[in-house]
């Protein structure tokens, strides 16, 4: 029987790792994800998880050790956040290029300077071009489930790409919630033993991994990463369906909430989706036609689903905890790209809010709605809006 | 040009690599260095004057690639698939039988 326990998202991630039974975990502690390797090292020390826990001297080494272990042919896992993920940047490309299905739990945190340990998505959003798959969890249960799903998708023969699962710093990483821990047998059946398809070291069958590619081959190698990302779209749907069948929890690339007759749809990711859904309920009581949508999968970008979503609304308000300079937020860029050739498209308004752990309150969302309503009425509006900005200190 | 002594290896590896790109661009069998022709890096190429050559083989010994073989009459011959145009052979040649010239593409 599945057990319900109260735990932090960090513990949920460690539990997901325990259930997935990786053979190698290499990690370096960084706030707010420190508790993940801490808990895993406990599991290993207690003999509850049969794995090699490698204590390394930096995140660059952590992911490098994971690349080495994965290339040798075992399931690997690590956790990091913020500057740690940024330090991994170089190796993230290598992991994707070598098509190694490593899974990383990311406690989404802002980037320095100024140093700030609280939540936004700038760390993993900055890594969106590495070729990694990206999932964002709304709550602790999703953090656990999405890590299991990430392993299954990453290791699929049609994908073979590393994946990161983001959960918001402190809002989730250090917040205690009831989480259902699935049965080990059920997870074993769902994930299966990891059998490396291409990358494994065998003296009887020598291969060269991470080799040099001349201009004649490099472009094709990059294209296969692109192709694997495209394949992942279908595989993710299949894995979501299988997960629902086995564990009863439903996931979608874009989860919609009360969008049926909505004129304005508030689109967001991660834990902010919870706040937004409650806000939508609050407005619906007043008769406002508003809905919410949450991206569970950010890479590969769910272009088809975005186009479907766009047909339902007159205004899409994107709520983002990241900044892409000269653009606004990364979602704004992705949504614009997805809809640019559509004949009928909603107005897209971008909102940057909650950076560096600033609370996003109903009052902030009221401001979002004011601007969105202006866009709906066809009045002039700014495409990019910084919400909750303390203009008096500027 | 004399036939490359690696001909069999080249054909074996080329056959293997004519198949589809492997996931992660893995080199499935050893010997890929033979098919990755490095001659395209060259700017200067050695121009060999057979009449001046005294067959001392210094070029043959010093070629770091090695892209110089001996033909049937034991004269050096250059494999331009792998010659990077470093000019060491021309520098070592005591009788100026090798001159580096800019390669026109």
């Amino acid at each position: 029987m599945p057990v319900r326990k109260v735990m932090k998202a960090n513990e949920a991630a460690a539990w997901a790792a325990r259930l997935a039974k990786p053979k190698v975990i290499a990690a370096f502690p960084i706030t707010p994800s420190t508790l993940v390797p801490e808990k895993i090292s406990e599991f290993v020390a207690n003999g509850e998880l049969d794995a090699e826990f490698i204590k390394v001297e930096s995140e660059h080494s952590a992911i490098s050790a994971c690349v080495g272990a994965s290339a040798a042919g075992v399931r690997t896992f690590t956790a990091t956040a913020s500057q740690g993920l940024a330090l991994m940047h170089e190796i993230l490309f290598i992991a994707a290029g070598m098509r190694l299905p490593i899974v990383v739990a990311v406690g989404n945190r802002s980037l320095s300077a100024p140093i700030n340990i609280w939540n936004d998505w700038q760390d993993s959003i900055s890594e969106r071009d590495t070729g990694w798959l990206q999932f964002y969890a709304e709550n602790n249960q999703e953090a656990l489930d999405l890590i299991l799903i990430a392993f299954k998708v990453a290791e699929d023969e049609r994908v073979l790409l590393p994946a990161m699962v983001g959960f918001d710093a402190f809002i989730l990483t250090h917040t205690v919630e009831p989480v259902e821990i699935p049965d080990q047998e059920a997870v074993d059946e769902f994930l299966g033993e990891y059998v490396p398809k291409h990358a494994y070291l065998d003296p009887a069958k020598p291969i060269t991994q991470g080799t040099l590619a001349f201009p004649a081959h490099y472009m094709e190698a990059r294209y296969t990463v692109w192709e694997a990302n495209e394949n992942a779209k279908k595989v993710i749907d299949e894995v979501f369906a299988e997960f629902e069948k086995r564990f009863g929890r439903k996931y979608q690339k874009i989860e919609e909430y009360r969008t049926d007759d909505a004129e304005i749809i508030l689109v967001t990711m991660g834990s902010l989706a919870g706040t937004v859904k409650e806000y939508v309920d609050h407005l619906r009581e007043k008769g406002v036609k508003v809905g919410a949508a949450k991206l569970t999968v950010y890479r590969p970008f769910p272009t088809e689903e975005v186009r479907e979503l766009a047909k339902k609304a007159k205004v899409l308000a994107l709520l983002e905890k990241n900044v892409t300079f000269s653009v606004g937020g990364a979602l704004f860029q992705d949504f614009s790209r997805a809809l640019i050739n559509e004949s009928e498209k909603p107005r897209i308004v971008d909102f940057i809010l909650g950076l560096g752990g600033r609370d996003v309150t109903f009052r902030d969302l009221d401001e979002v709605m004011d601007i969105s309503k202006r866009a709906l009425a066809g009045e002039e509006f700014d495409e990019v809006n910084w919400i909750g900005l303390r203009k008096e200190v500027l | 040009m004399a036939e490359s002594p690696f001909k069999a290896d080249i054909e074996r590896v080329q056959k293997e690599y004519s198949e589809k790109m492997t996931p992660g661009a893995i080199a499935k069998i050893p010997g890929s260095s033979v098919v990755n022709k490095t001659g395209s890096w060259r700017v200067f190429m050695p121009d060999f004057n057979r009449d001046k050559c005294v067959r001392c083989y210094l070029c043959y010994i010093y070629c770091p690639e090695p892209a110089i073989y001996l033909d049937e009459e034991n004269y050096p011959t250059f494999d331009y698939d792998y010659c990077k145009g470093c000019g060491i052979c021309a520098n070592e040649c005591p009788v100026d039988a090798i001159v580096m010239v800019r390669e026109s593409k």
Side-chain angles (χ1 to χ4, degrees):
Chain A
M1 277 295 286
V3 190
R4 264 171 92 79
K5 272 181 80 166
V6 280
M7 59 171 79
K8 301 165 183 170
N10 276 337
E11 289 176 73
W15 264 98
R18 174 175 161 172
L19 291 166
K21 295 182 180 167
K23 281 277 171 279
V24 173
I25 299 116
F28 187 82
I30 181 165
T31 303
S33 65
T34 307
L35 195 69
V36 182
E38 219 171 271
K39 193 79 192 164
I40 290 174
S41 69
E42 238 176 74
F43 288 146
V44 174
N46 291 345
E48 292 161 327
L49 172 63
D50 178 25
E52 195 73 39
F53 184 83
I54 309 175
K55 286 166 267 182
V56 285
E57 82 284 7
S58 76
E59 286 85 354
H60 190 278
S61 310
I63 191 71
S64 298
C66 286
V67 164
S70 189
V74 294
R75 189 175 279 162
T76 52
F77 179 81
T78 184
T80 191
S82 184
Q83 311 297 128
L85 188 65
L87 188 54
M88 288 180 178
H89 176 74
E90 177 196 1
I91 311 298
L92 295 182
F93 275 91
I94 294 174
M98 285 172 71
R99 309 283 298 281
L100 302 171
I102 301 161
V103 173
V104 174
V106 181
N108 284 129
R109 172 190 140 184
S110 63
L111 280 162
S112 290
I115 198 160
N116 174 298
I117 57 167
W118 293 274
N119 165 244
D120 62 40
W121 311 323
Q122 194 66 56
D123 50 359
S124 54
I125 287 284
S126 298
E127 306 300 347
R128 68 189 186 276
D129 296 335
T130 52
W132 282 57
L133 310 174
Q134 291 197 348
F135 299 86
Y136 287 82
E138 183 188 328
N139 50 46
N140 295 359
Q141 183 70 56
E142 289 197 11
L144 188 148
D145 292 349
L146 287 174
I147 288 171
L148 297 177
I149 287 166
F151 270 117
K152 176 94 172 167
V153 175
E155 289 168 6
D156 192 285
E157 212 165 341
R158 292 162 288 175
V159 181
L160 289 172
L161 282 175
M164 53 181 81
V165 178
F167 39 89
D168 291 345
F170 297 101
I171 301 173
L172 298 180
T173 58
H174 287 64
T175 300
V176 179
E177 280 180 355
V179 173
E180 188 178 302
I181 303 168
D183 269 348
Q184 182 66 62
E185 293 77 37
V187 175
D188 286 346
E189 256 177 60
F190 172 69
L191 274 184
E193 184 118 350
Y194 174 55
V195 183
K197 304 284 185 332
H198 68 302
Y200 55 96
L201 295 182
D202 178 3
K205 212 177 143 205
I207 54 168
T208 307
Q209 298 184 51
T211 177
L212 169 78
F214 285 98
H217 288 101
Y218 180 80
M219 200 160 155
E220 282 71 20
R222 293 302 288 168
Y223 180 77
T224 58
V225 179
W226 166 280
E227 208 177 25
N229 259 278
E230 294 299 307
N231 292 345
K233 291 178 181 173
K234 188 166 164 268
V235 176
I236 288 170
D237 282 337
E238 288 172 19
V239 174
F240 279 169
E242 199 190 328
F243 191 89
E244 190 189 352
K245 212 170 75 194
R246 280 181 192 276
F247 302 100
R249 284 185 290 278
K250 186 179 166 130
Y251 288 97
Q252 287 169 295
K253 283 184 222 155
I254 297 186
E255 188 189 308
E256 294 179 22
Y257 186 73
R258 303 183 85 162
T259 52
D260 283 342
D261 59 338
E263 287 176 323
I264 298 169
I265 297 181
L266 307 173
V267 185
T268 189
M269 306 199 297
S271 66
L272 189 53
T275 314
V276 170
K277 281 178 199 169
E278 204 175 317
Y279 182 69
V280 165
D281 286 342
H282 161 76
L283 287 189
R284 282 278 178 180
E285 277 170 26
K286 295 181 184 170
V288 185
K289 287 181 177 174
V290 61
K294 174 188 78 177
L295 272 80
T296 308
V297 181
Y298 176 64
R299 281 287 181 273
F301 191 71
T303 309
E304 296 306 316
E305 287 80 356
V306 164
R307 285 179 188 154
E308 285 306 309
L309 181 73
K311 284 176 191 157
K312 295 184 178 170
K314 296 194 179 102
V315 173
L316 287 182
L318 310 179
L319 280 65
E320 313 199 51
K321 291 187 181 183
N322 69 86
V323 182
T324 294
F325 293 98
S326 310
V327 174
L331 284 182
F332 189 43
Q333 198 170 26
D334 290 313
F335 271 68
S336 307
R337 200 282 304 182
L339 300 175
I340 190 160
N341 287 328
E342 298 294 286
S343 52
E344 276 188 35
K345 43 184 169 262
R347 298 194 152 199
I348 309 176
V349 204
D350 196 26
F351 298 96
I352 293 168
L353 72 186
L355 298 186
R358 179 165 302 177
D359 270 347
V360 179
T361 62
F362 274 24
R363 204 170 351 163
D364 296 321
L365 296 177
D366 283 340
E367 208 177 320
V368 166
M369 278 305 288
D370 282 347
I371 297 166
S372 300
K373 278 178 189 160
R374 276 220 302 279
L376 182 67
E379 291 168 29
E380 274 193 24
F381 65 97
D382 287 337
E383 282 186 334
V384 181
N385 305 276
W386 288 63
I387 299 296
L389 196 65
R390 293 173 51 223
K391 294 210 174 76
E392 70 275 12
V393 299
L394 290 172
Chain B
M1 193 187 89
E3 201 164 75
S4 162
F6 304 121
K7 190 166 176 262
D9 285 330
I10 291 173
E11 279 171 5
R12 179 178 59 90
V13 178
Q14 267 173 347
K15 186 170 166 289
E16 192 81 18
Y17 279 79
S18 63
E19 288 169 20
K20 293 189 90 179
M21 172 73 71
T22 52
I26 280 172
K28 283 190 286 185
I29 56 170
S32 62
S33 60
V34 175
V35 281
N36 287 326
K37 293 182 177 171
T38 44
S40 62
W41 301 5
R42 193 169 55 238
V43 178
F44 290 94
M45 64 184 286
D47 188 18
F48 176 57
N49 186 339
R50 194 179 163 106
D51 296 337
K52 282 189 184 175
C53 179
V54 294
R55 291 186 275 190
C56 69
Y57 306 138
L58 281 178
C59 56
Y60 174 79
I61 292 163
Y62 279 99
C63 178
E65 280 310 295
I68 301 175
Y69 317 131
L70 302 183
D71 64 12
E72 298 78 28
E73 292 168 53
N74 285 337
Y75 277 100
T77 175
F78 297 80
D79 187 343
Y80 291 109
D81 279 347
Y82 301 101
C83 169
K84 286 181 185 163
C86 68
I88 290 174
C89 53
N91 206 45
E92 291 297 335
C93 182
V95 293
D96 292 337
I98 306 171
V99 190
M100 298 305 286
V101 294
R102 184 174 277 276
E103 188 170 5
S104 52
K105 300 260 171 175

